Short mmCIF file of all heavy atoms in Angstrom, two decimals:
data_model
loop_
_atom_site.label_atom_id
_atom_site.label_comp_id
_atom_site.label_asym_id
_atom_site.label_seq_id
_atom_site.Cartn_x
_atom_site.Cartn_y
_atom_site.Cartn_z
N ARG A 1 -16.24 -93.02 -20.08
CA ARG A 1 -16.50 -92.08 -21.17
C ARG A 1 -15.95 -90.70 -20.89
O ARG A 1 -15.45 -90.02 -21.78
CB ARG A 1 -18.02 -91.97 -21.43
CG ARG A 1 -18.59 -93.10 -22.26
CD ARG A 1 -20.02 -92.83 -22.62
NE ARG A 1 -20.85 -92.58 -21.43
CZ ARG A 1 -22.05 -92.04 -21.45
NH1 ARG A 1 -22.58 -91.66 -22.58
NH2 ARG A 1 -22.73 -91.88 -20.31
N TRP A 2 -16.05 -90.24 -19.62
CA TRP A 2 -15.49 -88.92 -19.31
C TRP A 2 -13.98 -88.91 -19.50
O TRP A 2 -13.41 -87.96 -20.05
CB TRP A 2 -15.86 -88.53 -17.88
CG TRP A 2 -15.26 -87.19 -17.52
CD1 TRP A 2 -14.15 -86.95 -16.79
CD2 TRP A 2 -15.71 -85.91 -17.99
NE1 TRP A 2 -13.88 -85.60 -16.71
CE2 TRP A 2 -14.83 -84.94 -17.44
CE3 TRP A 2 -16.78 -85.50 -18.78
CZ2 TRP A 2 -15.00 -83.57 -17.69
CZ3 TRP A 2 -16.94 -84.11 -19.01
CH2 TRP A 2 -16.05 -83.19 -18.46
N GLN A 3 -13.31 -89.95 -19.06
CA GLN A 3 -11.87 -90.02 -19.16
C GLN A 3 -11.39 -90.01 -20.61
O GLN A 3 -10.42 -89.34 -20.98
CB GLN A 3 -11.35 -91.26 -18.43
CG GLN A 3 -9.84 -91.44 -18.50
CD GLN A 3 -9.10 -90.42 -17.66
OE1 GLN A 3 -9.63 -89.90 -16.70
NE2 GLN A 3 -7.87 -90.10 -18.06
N LEU A 4 -12.09 -90.77 -21.46
CA LEU A 4 -11.64 -90.97 -22.84
C LEU A 4 -12.24 -89.97 -23.82
O LEU A 4 -11.58 -89.63 -24.81
CB LEU A 4 -12.01 -92.38 -23.31
CG LEU A 4 -11.36 -93.55 -22.52
CD1 LEU A 4 -11.86 -94.89 -23.06
CD2 LEU A 4 -9.84 -93.46 -22.56
N ARG A 5 -13.45 -89.48 -23.55
CA ARG A 5 -14.16 -88.65 -24.56
C ARG A 5 -14.75 -87.38 -23.98
O ARG A 5 -15.39 -86.63 -24.72
CB ARG A 5 -15.27 -89.47 -25.20
CG ARG A 5 -14.82 -90.77 -25.83
CD ARG A 5 -16.01 -91.67 -26.14
NE ARG A 5 -15.61 -93.00 -26.55
CZ ARG A 5 -16.42 -94.06 -26.49
NH1 ARG A 5 -17.64 -93.93 -26.00
NH2 ARG A 5 -15.98 -95.25 -26.85
N ARG A 6 -14.58 -87.13 -22.69
CA ARG A 6 -15.19 -85.99 -22.04
C ARG A 6 -16.70 -85.94 -22.25
O ARG A 6 -17.31 -84.92 -22.52
CB ARG A 6 -14.56 -84.67 -22.53
CG ARG A 6 -13.14 -84.47 -21.98
CD ARG A 6 -13.16 -84.39 -20.46
NE ARG A 6 -11.88 -84.06 -19.84
CZ ARG A 6 -11.02 -84.95 -19.38
NH1 ARG A 6 -11.29 -86.25 -19.47
NH2 ARG A 6 -9.89 -84.58 -18.84
N LEU A 7 -17.33 -87.14 -22.12
CA LEU A 7 -18.79 -87.27 -22.28
C LEU A 7 -19.35 -87.96 -21.05
O LEU A 7 -18.74 -88.84 -20.46
CB LEU A 7 -19.14 -88.08 -23.52
CG LEU A 7 -18.91 -87.46 -24.88
CD1 LEU A 7 -19.19 -88.44 -25.98
CD2 LEU A 7 -19.76 -86.20 -25.04
N SER A 8 -20.55 -87.56 -20.68
CA SER A 8 -21.28 -88.19 -19.59
C SER A 8 -22.75 -87.80 -19.76
O SER A 8 -23.09 -86.93 -20.55
CB SER A 8 -20.74 -87.75 -18.23
OG SER A 8 -21.38 -88.41 -17.20
N THR A 9 -23.63 -88.48 -19.02
CA THR A 9 -25.05 -88.17 -19.06
C THR A 9 -25.60 -88.07 -17.64
O THR A 9 -25.07 -88.64 -16.69
CB THR A 9 -25.84 -89.24 -19.83
OG1 THR A 9 -25.49 -90.54 -19.31
CG2 THR A 9 -25.52 -89.21 -21.31
N LEU A 10 -26.70 -87.36 -17.51
CA LEU A 10 -27.39 -87.26 -16.22
C LEU A 10 -28.01 -88.60 -15.87
O LEU A 10 -28.36 -89.40 -16.75
CB LEU A 10 -28.46 -86.18 -16.27
CG LEU A 10 -27.99 -84.77 -16.59
CD1 LEU A 10 -29.18 -83.82 -16.70
CD2 LEU A 10 -27.01 -84.27 -15.55
N MET A 11 -28.18 -88.84 -14.57
CA MET A 11 -28.73 -90.10 -14.10
C MET A 11 -30.05 -89.94 -13.34
O MET A 11 -30.52 -90.87 -12.71
CB MET A 11 -27.72 -90.83 -13.22
CG MET A 11 -26.51 -91.31 -14.00
SD MET A 11 -25.32 -92.16 -12.91
CE MET A 11 -26.34 -93.42 -12.23
N GLY A 12 -30.64 -88.75 -13.38
CA GLY A 12 -31.96 -88.59 -12.81
C GLY A 12 -32.00 -88.17 -11.37
O GLY A 12 -33.00 -87.73 -10.88
N THR A 13 -30.87 -88.31 -10.66
CA THR A 13 -30.82 -87.94 -9.26
C THR A 13 -29.37 -87.61 -8.90
O THR A 13 -28.43 -88.00 -9.60
CB THR A 13 -31.35 -89.06 -8.36
OG1 THR A 13 -31.50 -88.61 -7.02
CG2 THR A 13 -30.45 -90.27 -8.37
N ASN A 14 -29.21 -86.84 -7.79
CA ASN A 14 -27.86 -86.49 -7.31
C ASN A 14 -27.08 -85.74 -8.36
O ASN A 14 -25.92 -86.04 -8.62
CB ASN A 14 -27.12 -87.76 -6.86
CG ASN A 14 -25.87 -87.44 -6.01
OD1 ASN A 14 -25.86 -86.46 -5.29
ND2 ASN A 14 -24.86 -88.25 -6.12
N TYR A 15 -27.72 -84.74 -8.96
CA TYR A 15 -26.99 -83.91 -9.90
C TYR A 15 -27.35 -82.43 -9.70
O TYR A 15 -28.38 -82.10 -9.14
CB TYR A 15 -27.25 -84.31 -11.37
CG TYR A 15 -28.61 -84.07 -11.96
CD1 TYR A 15 -28.93 -82.82 -12.49
CD2 TYR A 15 -29.57 -85.06 -12.01
CE1 TYR A 15 -30.17 -82.59 -13.08
CE2 TYR A 15 -30.80 -84.83 -12.58
CZ TYR A 15 -31.10 -83.60 -13.10
OH TYR A 15 -32.34 -83.38 -13.67
N VAL A 16 -26.42 -81.57 -10.17
CA VAL A 16 -26.63 -80.11 -10.15
C VAL A 16 -26.51 -79.59 -11.58
O VAL A 16 -25.72 -80.13 -12.38
CB VAL A 16 -25.65 -79.40 -9.23
CG1 VAL A 16 -25.88 -79.78 -7.78
CG2 VAL A 16 -24.19 -79.69 -9.61
N ILE A 17 -27.26 -78.55 -11.88
CA ILE A 17 -27.28 -77.95 -13.20
C ILE A 17 -27.53 -76.47 -13.04
O ILE A 17 -28.32 -76.06 -12.19
CB ILE A 17 -28.31 -78.63 -14.12
CG1 ILE A 17 -28.28 -78.04 -15.52
CG2 ILE A 17 -29.71 -78.57 -13.50
CD1 ILE A 17 -29.13 -78.81 -16.54
N TRP A 18 -26.85 -75.67 -13.84
CA TRP A 18 -27.09 -74.22 -13.77
C TRP A 18 -28.57 -73.92 -14.14
O TRP A 18 -29.07 -74.41 -15.15
CB TRP A 18 -26.16 -73.49 -14.73
CG TRP A 18 -24.73 -73.47 -14.32
CD1 TRP A 18 -23.69 -74.11 -14.93
CD2 TRP A 18 -24.14 -72.78 -13.21
NE1 TRP A 18 -22.51 -73.88 -14.28
CE2 TRP A 18 -22.76 -73.05 -13.21
CE3 TRP A 18 -24.65 -71.95 -12.21
CZ2 TRP A 18 -21.89 -72.54 -12.25
CZ3 TRP A 18 -23.78 -71.45 -11.23
CH2 TRP A 18 -22.41 -71.71 -11.28
N HIS A 19 -29.19 -73.11 -13.30
CA HIS A 19 -30.61 -72.78 -13.50
C HIS A 19 -30.81 -72.12 -14.88
O HIS A 19 -31.79 -72.36 -15.56
CB HIS A 19 -31.05 -71.83 -12.39
CG HIS A 19 -32.53 -71.69 -12.26
ND1 HIS A 19 -33.14 -71.26 -11.10
CD2 HIS A 19 -33.56 -71.93 -13.14
CE1 HIS A 19 -34.45 -71.22 -11.28
NE2 HIS A 19 -34.71 -71.62 -12.50
N ARG A 20 -29.88 -71.29 -15.28
CA ARG A 20 -30.01 -70.53 -16.52
C ARG A 20 -30.08 -71.44 -17.74
O ARG A 20 -30.74 -71.15 -18.72
CB ARG A 20 -28.90 -69.50 -16.67
CG ARG A 20 -27.48 -70.08 -16.78
CD ARG A 20 -26.44 -68.95 -16.87
NE ARG A 20 -25.10 -69.43 -17.04
CZ ARG A 20 -24.29 -69.72 -16.01
NH1 ARG A 20 -24.73 -69.58 -14.77
NH2 ARG A 20 -23.05 -70.14 -16.22
N TYR A 21 -29.36 -72.60 -17.66
CA TYR A 21 -29.40 -73.51 -18.78
C TYR A 21 -30.75 -74.23 -18.87
O TYR A 21 -31.30 -74.41 -19.97
CB TYR A 21 -28.27 -74.52 -18.68
CG TYR A 21 -26.89 -73.95 -18.90
CD1 TYR A 21 -25.86 -74.23 -18.05
CD2 TYR A 21 -26.64 -73.10 -19.98
CE1 TYR A 21 -24.59 -73.70 -18.22
CE2 TYR A 21 -25.38 -72.56 -20.17
CZ TYR A 21 -24.37 -72.83 -19.29
OH TYR A 21 -23.11 -72.32 -19.47
N LEU A 22 -31.29 -74.62 -17.74
CA LEU A 22 -32.60 -75.25 -17.72
C LEU A 22 -33.64 -74.27 -18.27
O LEU A 22 -34.53 -74.67 -19.06
CB LEU A 22 -32.98 -75.65 -16.29
CG LEU A 22 -32.53 -77.03 -15.81
CD1 LEU A 22 -32.96 -77.25 -14.36
CD2 LEU A 22 -33.08 -78.13 -16.68
N THR A 23 -33.58 -73.02 -17.88
CA THR A 23 -34.53 -72.02 -18.37
C THR A 23 -34.37 -71.83 -19.88
O THR A 23 -35.36 -71.77 -20.61
CB THR A 23 -34.32 -70.70 -17.63
OG1 THR A 23 -34.46 -70.89 -16.22
CG2 THR A 23 -35.30 -69.64 -18.10
N ALA A 24 -33.13 -71.72 -20.34
CA ALA A 24 -32.88 -71.53 -21.78
C ALA A 24 -33.40 -72.68 -22.62
O ALA A 24 -33.86 -72.48 -23.74
CB ALA A 24 -31.39 -71.32 -22.02
N LEU A 25 -33.33 -73.88 -22.05
CA LEU A 25 -33.79 -75.07 -22.80
C LEU A 25 -35.28 -75.36 -22.64
O LEU A 25 -35.81 -76.30 -23.21
CB LEU A 25 -33.01 -76.30 -22.34
CG LEU A 25 -31.51 -76.28 -22.69
CD1 LEU A 25 -30.80 -77.47 -22.08
CD2 LEU A 25 -31.33 -76.29 -24.23
N GLY A 26 -35.99 -74.52 -21.85
CA GLY A 26 -37.43 -74.67 -21.71
C GLY A 26 -37.87 -75.73 -20.75
O GLY A 26 -39.00 -76.23 -20.83
#
């Protein structure tokens, strides 16, 4: 999906995310 559509989803573990986005989303 990333190669063809630039889409992916989180898998619950082994990921990083900007703190500011988590805060903004509540």
Side-chain angles (χ1 to χ4, degrees):
R1 278 187 305 164
W2 178 258
Q3 179 69 28
L4 299 178
R5 304 166 188 158
R6 288 299 185 265
L7 289 175
S8 183
T9 50
L10 300 176
M11 292 179 57
T13 190
N14 195 31
Y15 70 85
V16 294
I17 182 171
W18 290 112
H19 196 159
R20 63 182 182 271
Y21 290 133
L22 273 178
T23 302
L25 293 174

